Amino acid sequence: HVTNDSIIWTAVNAIKELYARVLGHDREIASLKTENDQLRKDNAAKAKELEDLRIRIEAIEKTLKTK
């Protein structure tokens, strides 16, 4: 015989477990967003560095062609 109390406690415990999982996912998402932001900054810096090198190479090539 199943009582309402056992059903309620089973539901309450399931909700607690799901809530704990959601909180864990929220922390993981926040961590991944932080990591993603840093990777975007790193990528932008590398893109700038690459563009600067491209400009320098073009200048060197232009200098070599005029000699």
Side-chain angles (χ1 to χ4, degrees):
H1 182 270
V2 177
T3 64
N4 283 341
D5 285 347
S6 64
I7 292 172
I8 290 170
W9 285 112
T10 301
V12 167
N13 288 329
I15 290 167
K16 286 180 181 178
E17 182 180 332
L18 290 173
Y19 182 70
R21 291 175 110 180
V22 167
L23 290 179
H25 290 156
D26 287 348
R27 284 190 293 274
E28 184 177 1
I29 289 168
S31 175
L32 289 170
K33 283 182 177 182
T34 299
E35 181 181 358
N36 190 45
D37 289 344
Q38 185 59 50
L39 289 170
R40 285 178 188 271
K41 289 176 187 174
D42 293 348
N43 190 42
K46 294 295 181 189
K48 171 78 169 96
E49 184 179 343
L50 182 60
E51 179 61 16
D52 291 346
L53 289 172
R54 186 189 65 75
I55 291 168
R56 287 177 59 195
I57 289 171
E58 284 180 357
I60 291 169
E61 288 173 339
K62 185 177 180 181
T63 300
L64 290 175
K65 286 181 184 178
T66 59
K67 289 187 177 187

